[in-house]
């Protein structure tokens, strides 16, 4: 493997790392907006049915992508906790 190839791969990883921050930021913004609508409508902020569905979807996607579903679930739970904070 050449130094150029290694540099290119590392640059791609850095781009993905950036996306790993951008996507949760987008998700948190959407969750904040959902929370505002719920507050205005007098609805409870937390919906355990929706959370369970999201966890199920993330675990399924992880399995399809050959990622540990437990890791994917923990990442989503971190996002949920942050959105509630």
């Amino acid at each position: 493997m050449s130094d150029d190839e290694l540099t290119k791969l590392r640059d791609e990883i850095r781009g993905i790392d950036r996306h790993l921050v951008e996507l949760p930021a987008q998700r948190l913004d959407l969750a904040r907006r959902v929370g505002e609508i719920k507050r205005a409508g007098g609805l409870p902020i937390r919906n355990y049915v929706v959370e369970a569905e999201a966890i199920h979807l993330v675990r399924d996607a992880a399995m399809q992508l050959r990622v540990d579903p437990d890791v994917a679930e923990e990442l989503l739970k971190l996002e949920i906790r942050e959105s509630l904070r």
Side-chain angles (χ1 to χ4, degrees), residues 30-85:
L30 292 169
R32 179 190 52 77
R33 291 166 53 195
V34 167
E36 289 170 356
I37 291 168
K38 286 181 170 185
R39 273 188 213 86
L43 299 169
I45 295 299
R46 198 145 192 198
N47 185 328
Y48 292 100
V49 172
V50 170
E51 287 180 27
E53 290 171 356
I55 289 168
H56 178 75
L57 290 172
V58 163
R59 290 185 66 85
D60 282 351
M63 286 187 280
Q64 291 173 13
L65 296 168
R66 295 189 327 235
V67 172
D68 184 338
D70 293 336
V71 171
E73 180 176 340
E74 284 305 310
L75 289 171
L76 179 60
K77 285 180 177 179
L78 281 170
E79 284 288 323
I80 291 169
R81 281 195 299 271
E82 181 62 21
S83 69
L84 292 168
R85 195 170 69 92

